[in-house]
Amino acid sequence: MIKTILYIVLTAAITNNYVLVKFLGICPFLGVSKKLDQAAGMSLAVIFVMLLATAATWPIYHLLLAFFHFAYMQTVVFILVIAALVQLVEIILKRYMPSLHASLGVYLPLITTNCAVLGVTVNNINDGLGFGASMLTSLGCGLGFFLAMVLFCGVRSRVAEAKPAKSVEGLPITLISAAIVSLAFFGFAGIIGNLFG
C-alpha cells in the first residue's frame, strides 16, 4: 500500500512533472521564480488549489456530469470550480498572510488560468483514476510544481550571479535555463519505474 502511494506521488512529481515534462503552468514558473519566498508561496497555493480542485471536480464529474450525460461540459465546469477555489485561496491569503498576498500580486489570480491545475483535474478523469488515486496524483503534481519552482529559483539566482552576456540577458537566458532543467527531468523517466519495479 505504501509502495503504491509512493509510486503514484513520485511518478506525478518527478517522471510526469507538469511543468518540466508536460510544459503546463509555464506562466507562474517563469514569472514567480525569481525569489524563493514568492516561488514557495505560489507553489503552496497551487498545491492547495490542485487538491481542492480534484476533491471538488471528481465527484462533480462522476455524480453529475457523467450521470446526466453532460460530460462535454467538463472543461467549462472545471474552470468555474477552479476559479471559485482560487478566489477562496486569495481571500484566505489576504486575511491571514497579507505579505505573501502582496508579494504574489497578479500571479495569484492567474492560478485560475494555470493550465497545470486544469490539466491535473482533466487528466485524472481521462485516465479513469478513482478518487483516492486522483488525490494522490494531484498531491504529486503539486509537489512536482513546488520542486520545479524551487529548483528553477536556485538556477535563476546562479545564472544572475554568473552575469551572462548582454545578448542573452533576461528572457533568453531564462528560457535556455528552463530548457536545461527540463532536459534534466527527462533523465528521471526510468529511475522511478526501476525503483518500484
Side-chain angles (χ1 to χ4, degrees), residues 36-140:
L36 184 59
D37 59 337
Q38 290 179 352
M42 171 62 92
S43 300
L44 293 173
V46 167
I47 292 171
F48 185 66
V49 171
M50 276 185 181
L51 287 169
L52 280 179
T54 299
T57 56
W58 194 93
I60 286 172
Y61 180 83
H62 287 285
L63 300 177
L64 293 174
L65 297 178
F67 185 77
F68 292 109
H69 307 289
F70 286 118
Y72 60 89
M73 294 292 292
Q74 170 185 358
T75 304
V76 174
V77 172
F78 285 14
I79 288 172
L80 291 173
V81 169
I82 291 166
L85 292 172
V86 169
Q87 288 303 309
L88 175 70
V89 169
E90 189 169 7
I91 290 167
I92 290 169
L93 286 180
K94 193 173 188 178
R95 171 93 168 115
Y96 297 107
M97 294 182 239
S99 60
L100 179 58
H101 179 267
S103 69
L104 291 176
V106 71
Y107 293 102
L108 186 59
L110 283 178
I111 295 176
T112 302
T113 58
N114 186 340
C115 53
V117 177
L118 180 62
V120 167
T121 58
V122 170
N123 285 338
N124 285 338
I125 300 296
N126 291 344
D127 292 344
L129 300 177
F131 184 76
S134 294
M135 291 300 291
L136 287 173
T137 300
S138 295
L139 175 64

